[in-house]
Amino acid sequence: EREISLKTGEAVVAALETLGHTVTRIFAGPGLDRALRAAELDVAFLALHGRMGEDGRVQGLLELLELPYTGSGVLASALAMDKPMAKKLFQLHNLATPRGYRVGRADVARAEELHGDSGFPCVVKPAKGGSSVGLSVVHDAGALVPAVAQACRFGGEALVERFVAGQEVTVGILGDAVLGSCEVSFPREGFDYEAKYKGGAQYFLPPRLSDTRRLNVESLALAAYRALGCRGYGRVDLLCSDLENDVVLEVNTLPGFTPTSLLPKIAARAGLDFPELVQGVLDRATRDESHVDDAPVPVAPRTLRVAR
């Protein structure tokens, strides 16, 4: 997801400079720790998507450097990136999510056996990743093994989920409040990388839902965001099924800031232009709480004198 990260970075740099901030570009890779130390930053604005940048590892480095950063902390970032683990937490919090299971690279040949009676169609995607890279919609058992093998190329594990027919809705969150929501409609089955970044998708703001259902979807998204312990900002993807059931797909802790990205579209409809959204994200930059309070000073027990 390097290409999308670079586009996000340049868009954010332009906005920050428009706002009067002094910006230093730092490219993630070998020697990142040395580059961060040398830059003498006040805050790190993360413009990274996918594994390493969005899964808690860079966040952990910034914690060690005691440098505030934008977006969620180490644990929430790791949980959101690991889609099967996130699903377990959604279920623990009684949040509806499509039934699914994890398949490792070593078990690709057993994919049909592991699938059992889960049925078709199903969705296969990398267990850890974003931008819909490696996503497939599988309609029969014969296509399952190739789809799982393709997904496993990106990190070694795949997530296989029950396919849910319906409207794909994404909800934007800033701080701990919902900014709004957007329906994404696309010509192909599955909002894959091509549809997401190379055109063909249609966007409806607000989604084509009743006001009551839209508010329920936004409430479900905020609950999923909180269930993973996210902070700062994020985007939650859901499906609103034809059977009036709404399910959480995933939480994006560092959603895109490219010209075609969804969070800026949602923010614009809420009255925030792009620089204002960037400033709002920057204002919420922080670190995990690591301060230990001093122990309370012991107070000598008081002797009560009772009149008799």
Side-chain angles (χ1 to χ4, degrees):
E1 298 173 63
R2 178 175 173 79
E3 178 187 351
I4 306 305
S5 299
L6 292 173
K7 289 181 178 180
T8 284
E10 287 307 314
V12 168
V13 166
L16 289 170
E17 290 179 339
T18 297
L19 293 164
H21 297 292
T22 301
V23 183
T24 300
R25 293 171 174 81
I26 298 177
F27 295 92
L32 177 59
D33 59 329
R34 295 189 295 275
L36 286 166
R37 288 189 177 94
E40 298 182 352
L41 304 178
D42 295 311
V43 61
F45 196 114
L46 298 182
L48 297 165
H49 308 305
R51 287 174 292 119
M52 190 184 84
E54 200 172 348
D55 62 4
R57 282 184 273 185
V58 167
Q59 290 80 358
L61 172 61
L62 294 167
E63 291 288 345
L64 291 173
L65 296 176
E66 299 185 344
L67 183 62
Y69 54 92
T70 56
S72 291
V74 176
L75 180 59
S77 299
L79 290 171
M81 181 56 66
D82 190 326
K83 294 179 177 65
M85 186 60 69
K87 290 176 78 68
K88 290 182 180 180
L89 283 170
F90 297 152
Q91 292 163 349
L92 186 65
H93 286 79
N94 295 317
L95 305 176
T97 187
R99 187 177 63 179
Y101 61 93
R102 188 193 302 256
V103 183
R105 182 182 284 124
D107 292 319
V108 168
R110 299 178 53 233
E112 289 186 44
E113 174 191 341
L114 295 171
H115 196 69
D117 60 356
S118 295
F120 295 95
C122 64
V123 178
V124 181
K125 54 191 173 184
K128 300 177 183 180
S131 295
S132 300
V133 174
L135 180 146
S136 305
V137 178
V138 177
H139 290 273
D140 55 69
L144 185 60
V145 169
V148 171
Q150 167 74 358
C152 284
R153 289 181 53 222
F154 305 95
E157 291 184 317
L159 171 64
V160 182
E161 284 184 316
R162 180 175 60 86
F163 178 83
V164 177
Q167 297 159 265
E168 182 154 335
V169 174
T170 191
V171 176
I173 296 171
L174 181 62
D176 196 46
V178 170
L179 277 176
S181 52
C182 171
E183 178 190 343
V184 184
S185 178
F186 37 89
R188 291 188 291 275
E189 250 184 348
F191 190 28
D192 60 12
Y193 185 93
E194 293 292 320
K196 187 171 289 189
Y197 296 112
K198 299 190 177 181
Q202 288 184 292
Y203 307 99
F204 299 91
L205 294 97
R208 294 172 296 180
L209 302 169
S210 69
D211 287 344
T212 299
R213 191 172 183 192
R214 175 182 56 79
L215 290 171
N216 287 339
V217 168
E218 291 175 352
S219 177
L220 177 60
L222 186 58
Y225 174 88
R226 290 171 173 169
L228 300 185
C230 298
R231 70 176 184 225
Y233 72 116
R235 209 191 72 228
V236 183
D237 296 337
L238 308 95
L239 276 168
C240 302
S241 84
D242 301 335
L243 301 175
E244 297 290 313
N245 296 319
D246 306 318
V247 295
V248 179
L249 293 178
E250 60 185 77
V251 176
N252 302 275
T253 55
L254 291 178
F257 273 76
T258 70
T260 59
S261 294
L262 298 171
L263 184 62
K265 293 180 190 294
I266 293 169
R269 191 175 189 281
L272 289 177
D273 64 22
F274 189 75
E276 289 173 326
L277 174 62
V278 169
Q279 184 65 53
V281 170
L282 182 64
D283 289 342
R284 291 164 174 81
T286 186
R287 294 170 46 222
D288 287 340
E289 180 61 62
S290 58
H291 177 73
V292 178
D293 291 327
D294 293 333
V297 177
V299 178
R302 295 173 60 188
T303 302
L304 298 177
R305 299 182 181 277
V306 179
R308 292 180 181 272

Short mmCIF file of all heavy atoms in Angstrom, two decimals, residues 195-221:
data_model
loop_
_atom_site.label_atom_id
_atom_site.label_comp_id
_atom_site.label_asym_id
_atom_site.label_seq_id
_atom_site.Cartn_x
_atom_site.Cartn_y
_atom_site.Cartn_z
N ALA A 195 -11.62 -0.73 -7.96
CA ALA A 195 -12.80 0.13 -7.81
C ALA A 195 -12.52 1.27 -6.85
O ALA A 195 -13.00 2.40 -7.02
CB ALA A 195 -13.99 -0.70 -7.32
N LYS A 196 -11.73 1.00 -5.82
CA LYS A 196 -11.49 1.98 -4.76
C LYS A 196 -10.64 3.14 -5.26
O LYS A 196 -10.92 4.31 -4.94
CB LYS A 196 -10.83 1.29 -3.56
CG LYS A 196 -10.68 2.17 -2.34
CD LYS A 196 -10.22 1.36 -1.15
CE LYS A 196 -11.31 0.45 -0.61
NZ LYS A 196 -10.94 -0.17 0.67
N TYR A 197 -9.60 2.84 -6.04
CA TYR A 197 -8.63 3.88 -6.38
C TYR A 197 -8.56 4.23 -7.86
O TYR A 197 -7.92 5.21 -8.23
CB TYR A 197 -7.23 3.46 -5.90
CG TYR A 197 -7.15 3.34 -4.40
CD1 TYR A 197 -6.97 2.11 -3.78
CD2 TYR A 197 -7.29 4.46 -3.59
CE1 TYR A 197 -6.91 2.00 -2.41
CE2 TYR A 197 -7.24 4.36 -2.22
CZ TYR A 197 -7.05 3.13 -1.63
OH TYR A 197 -7.00 3.02 -0.28
N LYS A 198 -9.19 3.44 -8.73
CA LYS A 198 -9.07 3.70 -10.16
C LYS A 198 -10.41 3.97 -10.82
O LYS A 198 -10.56 3.85 -12.03
CB LYS A 198 -8.33 2.55 -10.84
CG LYS A 198 -6.92 2.37 -10.27
CD LYS A 198 -6.07 1.40 -11.06
CE LYS A 198 -4.66 1.33 -10.48
NZ LYS A 198 -3.79 0.42 -11.23
N GLY A 199 -11.40 4.33 -10.03
CA GLY A 199 -12.67 4.77 -10.59
C GLY A 199 -13.70 3.67 -10.70
O GLY A 199 -13.43 2.50 -10.50
N GLY A 200 -14.91 4.09 -11.02
CA GLY A 200 -16.00 3.15 -11.21
C GLY A 200 -16.97 3.12 -10.05
O GLY A 200 -18.09 2.61 -10.21
N ALA A 201 -16.57 3.64 -8.90
CA ALA A 201 -17.46 3.62 -7.73
C ALA A 201 -18.33 4.87 -7.71
O ALA A 201 -17.95 5.93 -8.21
CB ALA A 201 -16.64 3.52 -6.45
N GLN A 202 -19.51 4.73 -7.12
CA GLN A 202 -20.40 5.86 -6.88
C GLN A 202 -20.55 6.06 -5.38
O GLN A 202 -20.55 5.09 -4.62
CB GLN A 202 -21.78 5.62 -7.50
CG GLN A 202 -21.81 5.67 -9.02
CD GLN A 202 -23.23 5.50 -9.52
OE1 GLN A 202 -23.83 4.43 -9.40
NE2 GLN A 202 -23.80 6.57 -10.07
N TYR A 203 -20.71 7.32 -4.98
CA TYR A 203 -20.80 7.64 -3.56
C TYR A 203 -22.10 8.39 -3.28
O TYR A 203 -22.48 9.31 -4.01
CB TYR A 203 -19.59 8.49 -3.14
CG TYR A 203 -18.28 7.86 -3.51
CD1 TYR A 203 -17.59 8.26 -4.65
CD2 TYR A 203 -17.73 6.84 -2.75
CE1 TYR A 203 -16.38 7.67 -5.00
CE2 TYR A 203 -16.53 6.24 -3.09
CZ TYR A 203 -15.86 6.66 -4.23
OH TYR A 203 -14.68 6.06 -4.58
N PHE A 204 -22.77 7.99 -2.21
CA PHE A 204 -24.02 8.63 -1.81
C PHE A 204 -23.86 9.14 -0.39
O PHE A 204 -23.66 8.36 0.55
CB PHE A 204 -25.18 7.64 -1.90
CG PHE A 204 -25.42 7.11 -3.30
CD1 PHE A 204 -24.79 5.95 -3.73
CD2 PHE A 204 -26.25 7.79 -4.18
CE1 PHE A 204 -24.98 5.46 -5.01
CE2 PHE A 204 -26.46 7.30 -5.46
CZ PHE A 204 -25.83 6.14 -5.89
N LEU A 205 -23.95 10.47 -0.24
CA LEU A 205 -23.85 11.10 1.07
C LEU A 205 -25.11 11.92 1.30
O LEU A 205 -25.32 12.91 0.59
CB LEU A 205 -22.62 12.01 1.16
CG LEU A 205 -21.26 11.35 1.09
CD1 LEU A 205 -20.71 11.41 -0.33
CD2 LEU A 205 -20.30 12.01 2.06
N PRO A 206 -25.96 11.56 2.23
CA PRO A 206 -25.87 10.39 3.12
C PRO A 206 -26.24 9.11 2.37
O PRO A 206 -26.69 9.16 1.22
CB PRO A 206 -26.91 10.71 4.20
CG PRO A 206 -27.94 11.52 3.47
CD PRO A 206 -27.17 12.36 2.48
N PRO A 207 -26.06 7.96 3.01
CA PRO A 207 -26.44 6.69 2.38
C PRO A 207 -27.94 6.65 2.07
O PRO A 207 -28.74 7.35 2.69
CB PRO A 207 -26.08 5.65 3.45
CG PRO A 207 -25.11 6.33 4.34
CD PRO A 207 -25.48 7.77 4.34
N ARG A 208 -28.29 5.80 1.13
CA ARG A 208 -29.71 5.64 0.75
C ARG A 208 -30.40 4.72 1.75
O ARG A 208 -30.79 3.59 1.45
CB ARG A 208 -29.79 5.10 -0.67
CG ARG A 208 -29.27 6.06 -1.72
CD ARG A 208 -29.19 5.44 -3.10
NE ARG A 208 -28.23 4.34 -3.13
CZ ARG A 208 -27.97 3.62 -4.22
NH1 ARG A 208 -28.61 3.86 -5.36
NH2 ARG A 208 -27.09 2.63 -4.17
N LEU A 209 -30.52 5.23 2.98
CA LEU A 209 -31.17 4.53 4.08
C LEU A 209 -32.14 5.48 4.75
O LEU A 209 -31.98 6.71 4.65
CB LEU A 209 -30.14 4.05 5.11
CG LEU A 209 -29.01 3.13 4.65
CD1 LEU A 209 -27.96 3.02 5.74
CD2 LEU A 209 -29.56 1.76 4.30
N SER A 210 -33.11 4.94 5.46
CA SER A 210 -33.97 5.82 6.26
C SER A 210 -33.12 6.48 7.34
O SER A 210 -32.06 5.98 7.73
CB SER A 210 -35.09 5.00 6.91
OG SER A 210 -34.56 4.14 7.91
N ASP A 211 -33.57 7.63 7.83
CA ASP A 211 -32.81 8.33 8.87
C ASP A 211 -32.61 7.45 10.10
O ASP A 211 -31.54 7.44 10.71
CB ASP A 211 -33.54 9.62 9.27
CG ASP A 211 -33.44 10.69 8.20
OD1 ASP A 211 -32.58 10.56 7.30
OD2 ASP A 211 -34.23 11.65 8.26
N THR A 212 -33.66 6.70 10.47
CA THR A 212 -33.55 5.84 11.65
C THR A 212 -32.49 4.77 11.45
O THR A 212 -31.66 4.54 12.34
CB THR A 212 -34.91 5.18 11.95
OG1 THR A 212 -35.87 6.19 12.23
CG2 THR A 212 -34.80 4.25 13.15
N ARG A 213 -32.51 4.13 10.28
CA ARG A 213 -31.53 3.07 10.04
C ARG A 213 -30.12 3.65 9.93
O ARG A 213 -29.16 3.06 10.42
CB ARG A 213 -31.89 2.29 8.78
CG ARG A 213 -31.04 1.02 8.65
CD ARG A 213 -31.48 0.14 7.52
NE ARG A 213 -30.68 -1.08 7.49
CZ ARG A 213 -30.69 -1.93 6.49
NH1 ARG A 213 -31.46 -1.73 5.42
NH2 ARG A 213 -29.94 -3.02 6.53
N ARG A 214 -29.99 4.80 9.28
CA ARG A 214 -28.66 5.43 9.18
C ARG A 214 -28.09 5.73 10.56
O ARG A 214 -26.91 5.45 10.83
CB ARG A 214 -28.77 6.71 8.35
CG ARG A 214 -27.44 7.49 8.29
CD ARG A 214 -27.61 8.78 7.51
NE ARG A 214 -28.65 9.62 8.04
CZ ARG A 214 -28.52 10.41 9.12
NH1 ARG A 214 -27.36 10.43 9.78
NH2 ARG A 214 -29.51 11.15 9.53
N LEU A 215 -28.91 6.26 11.44
CA LEU A 215 -28.43 6.56 12.80
C LEU A 215 -28.04 5.28 13.54
O LEU A 215 -27.07 5.27 14.30
CB LEU A 215 -29.49 7.33 13.57
CG LEU A 215 -29.75 8.77 13.10
CD1 LEU A 215 -30.96 9.36 13.80
CD2 LEU A 215 -28.51 9.64 13.33
N ASN A 216 -28.78 4.21 13.30
CA ASN A 216 -28.44 2.93 13.92
C ASN A 216 -27.11 2.40 13.40
O ASN A 216 -26.29 1.87 14.16
CB ASN A 216 -29.55 1.90 13.67
CG ASN A 216 -30.80 2.17 14.50
OD1 ASN A 216 -30.74 2.84 15.52
ND2 ASN A 216 -31.93 1.65 14.04
N VAL A 217 -26.88 2.55 12.09
CA VAL A 217 -25.62 2.11 11.48
C VAL A 217 -24.46 2.92 12.05
O VAL A 217 -23.40 2.37 12.38
CB VAL A 217 -25.70 2.24 9.94
CG1 VAL A 217 -24.32 2.09 9.31
CG2 VAL A 217 -26.65 1.21 9.37
N GLU A 218 -24.64 4.22 12.17
CA GLU A 218 -23.58 5.07 12.71
C GLU A 218 -23.29 4.74 14.17
O GLU A 218 -22.14 4.76 14.62
CB GLU A 218 -23.96 6.54 12.53
CG GLU A 218 -23.96 6.97 11.07
CD GLU A 218 -24.45 8.39 10.84
OE1 GLU A 218 -24.95 9.01 11.82
OE2 GLU A 218 -24.37 8.87 9.70
N SER A 219 -24.33 4.41 14.93
CA SER A 219 -24.16 4.01 16.32
C SER A 219 -23.40 2.68 16.41
O SER A 219 -22.52 2.51 17.28
CB SER A 219 -25.52 3.89 17.00
OG SER A 219 -25.40 3.44 18.33
N LEU A 220 -23.71 1.75 15.51
CA LEU A 220 -23.00 0.47 15.47
C LEU A 220 -21.53 0.68 15.15
O LEU A 220 -20.65 0.05 15.74
CB LEU A 220 -23.67 -0.44 14.43
CG LEU A 220 -23.04 -1.81 14.17
CD1 LEU A 220 -23.02 -2.65 15.45
CD2 LEU A 220 -23.81 -2.54 13.07
N ALA A 221 -21.24 1.59 14.21
CA ALA A 221 -19.86 1.88 13.84
C ALA A 221 -19.08 2.46 15.02
O ALA A 221 -17.94 2.07 15.28
CB ALA A 221 -19.84 2.85 12.66
#
